[in-house]
Amino acid sequence: MANLHRRKTLTCTVGNVRVGSDAPIVVQSMTNTDTADIPSTVKQVAALAKAGSELVRVTVNTDDAAACVAPIVDQLEKQGVQVPIVGDFHFNGHILLKKYPECARALAKYRINPGNVSIGRKNDDNFRAMIEVAVENQKPVRIGVNWGSLDQALLTRMMDENSRLAEPLDSDVTRIKEYPKEINQPSIERRKDSTNPVRKSSRGDHSLVASFLKRVA
């Protein structure tokens, strides 16, 4: 059997689940329901938790979805389902988190993709707004590194720098840790995805997660 060594990383708590460092690998899944459909989302989250998911992610991409997050969490708690709910935000997360504070409080973690929230553009205002909400609510943030959502300015610079190396490196998204140091430098949680939310849960390699517990500069 191969001798595996885990890197020394930061640890944060997502709801009641420890992620990173010496914590066990965590199983995370994502719903494929419309989050605005409260009964269907509650039912699927409960099914995922019963199947072994320790974290469940829901899409928060519209006003209706954001308004339904707190009721979903409330109904799950009434059913005795204690699985932490992660909010998957897109281009408008900075607006929704500010507009729906009950959503910001109910979620156990925020998931954002750097290229979707203006990192490298407009002085990172959208990204900064989301981090300020996370700090205010003491929530960890998952900084995504999906290829399609990487900030293009940073991606171009890194590719140019890599091409000039004597031995260019293979593509490695973990180098995205160079993201803005002036905003308490976010770290990265890497994850593998599966398309069937109930039968297959994603087994996360949660290598790095930042908790953003200090006030944004």
Side-chain angles (χ1 to χ4, degrees):
M1 180 179 294
N3 188 17
L4 302 178
H5 297 279
R6 295 181 65 181
R7 292 184 297 144
K8 181 65 176 179
T9 64
L10 301 176
T11 303
C12 76
T13 302
V14 182
N16 58 355
V17 178
R18 290 179 64 247
V19 177
S21 189
D22 60 347
I25 300 298
V26 175
V27 176
Q28 175 176 286
S29 296
M30 183 173 184
T31 59
N32 61 6
T33 59
D34 179 354
T35 307
D37 183 346
I38 295 176
S40 295
T41 302
V42 169
K43 181 179 180 180
Q44 192 171 97
V45 170
L48 288 166
K50 183 177 180 180
S53 284
E54 298 162 275
L55 301 173
V56 176
R57 177 158 55 103
V58 300
T59 298
V60 186
N61 60 339
T62 65
D63 285 81
D64 289 342
C68 290
V69 168
I72 287 170
V73 172
D74 183 59
Q75 288 195 25
L76 288 167
E77 290 179 350
K78 289 180 179 178
Q79 294 181 21
V81 180
Q82 301 296 323
V83 63
I85 302 300
V86 178
D88 187 356
F89 293 94
H90 299 274
F91 297 94
N92 57 351
H94 59 294
I95 297 173
L96 296 177
L97 284 171
K98 292 279 190 178
K99 187 175 180 179
Y100 298 93
E102 66 280 5
C103 170
R105 290 191 293 267
L107 291 169
K109 182 175 70 173
Y110 310 153
R111 177 192 184 277
I112 59 180
N113 286 326
N116 291 350
V117 287
S118 81
I119 285 186
R121 303 185 298 277
K122 303 177 184 178
N123 297 317
D124 306 317
D125 288 344
N126 296 352
F127 178 68
R128 184 180 295 275
M130 297 188 74
I131 299 306
E132 287 174 344
V133 174
V135 171
E136 179 182 350
N137 289 283
Q138 298 289 281
K139 302 293 185 179
V141 177
R142 187 267 197 190
I143 306 297
V145 289
N146 299 35
W147 184 262
S149 64
L150 293 179
D151 175 62
Q152 294 304 302
L154 176 61
L155 182 60
T156 299
R157 176 174 63 80
M158 293 175 67
M159 291 177 65
D160 288 344
E161 291 174 354
N162 186 55
S163 67
R164 290 193 292 269
L165 295 176
E167 295 183 10
L169 302 172
D170 291 333
S171 175
D172 182 357
V173 295
T174 61
R175 297 185 66 208
I176 206 69
K177 65 184 180 181
E178 296 178 15
Y179 267 138
K181 294 182 175 61
E182 71 273 15
I183 311 180
N184 293 330
Q185 186 176 343
S187 297
I188 299 164
E189 169 189 326
R190 295 191 306 176
R191 183 182 43 76
K192 295 180 180 179
D193 287 331
S194 173
T195 56
N196 189 316
V198 176
R199 295 184 181 179
K200 298 179 181 178
S201 297
S202 63
R203 187 167 296 277
D205 174 16
H206 302 281
S207 50
L208 286 174
V209 177
S211 291
F212 296 110
L213 299 182
K214 297 181 180 179
R215 179 61 56 186
V216 175

